[in-house]
Amino acid sequence: MANLQQMNLTISASAAALRREASNSAVDASARKLQDADLPESDPAGFIQLCLLNVLTALFVSHRRVLTKPGEHTKAILGTLNERNEKEQLRQHCINIAQRGSTAISRDDFETYVESDHAHVSFAICGIDISEDFFDVVIALSSDAMSSNDGADIEMFVQACIQIKGAA
């Protein structure tokens, strides 16, 4: 709203400046030259109106970028949505890792999954590099009753992956 008010003030100031210039002899001389150029019925007032319209159009175009930039609130919302989408992608990968509809990822399930090229690519898309000790790091980060050396709860696994991604 403030940008719109600022744009209105700028347009008003430009219109006032254009009116001052219209009374200037240079504009009058240009208008006289146009009249002397054998143009069909040149109108100085029409010329001035056209100039004003061009100035207003230029102001609108120059302020377009200011008006279309997302604000801080919009940037924060977009950031939150991106984080949620990334978390959901990770959750889907973890569900694919857990076999037999389990809510936990076992070490064996993870090691079997990591053997495929798809695993490395899908985690790389999420911004996570799977190293040899990746599962041990995830287990260490997901320190709760649901995790053990043999496995981790899917939600805790997702949270640990996000922490690893944030640290990278």
Side-chain angles (χ1 to χ4, degrees), residues 47-64:
F47 177 73
I48 293 171
Q49 289 174 348
L50 183 61
C51 289
L52 177 63
L53 184 60
N54 284 337
V55 168
L56 293 176
T57 302
L59 286 172
F60 176 75
V61 170
S62 67
H63 291 310
R64 175 190 56 86

Side-chain angles (χ1 to χ4, degrees), residues 96-159:
N96 291 337
I97 295 171
Q99 295 185 5
R100 299 171 302 279
S102 175
T103 60
I105 298 174
S106 70
R107 181 179 295 276
D108 293 335
D109 291 342
F110 184 77
E111 288 174 357
T112 302
Y113 183 75
V114 168
E115 290 174 2
S116 71
D117 291 334
H118 173 72
H120 291 280
V121 171
S122 61
F123 274 93
I125 288 172
C126 293
I128 299 172
D129 183 33
I130 301 176
S131 61
E132 288 186 27
D133 60 346
F134 181 81
F135 192 80
D136 294 326
V137 172
V138 168
I139 294 297
L141 288 173
S142 60
S143 59
D144 70 340
M146 296 299 292
S147 64
S148 66
N149 283 338
D150 292 334
D153 179 60
I154 288 177
E155 289 304 315
M156 295 307 295
F157 196 92
V158 169
Q159 290 299 328

Side-chain angles (χ1 to χ4, degrees), residues 19-29:
R19 282 189 208 107
R20 284 191 302 273
E21 286 182 29
S23 64
N24 192 342
S25 63
V27 174
D28 290 338

Side-chain angles (χ1 to χ4, degrees), residues 28-50:
D28 290 338
S30 296
R32 273 187 249 116
K33 285 181 184 177
L34 282 174
Q35 285 178 342
D36 295 338
D38 291 334
L39 294 175
E41 298 298 317
S42 296
D43 182 20
F47 177 73
I48 293 171
Q49 289 174 348
L50 183 61

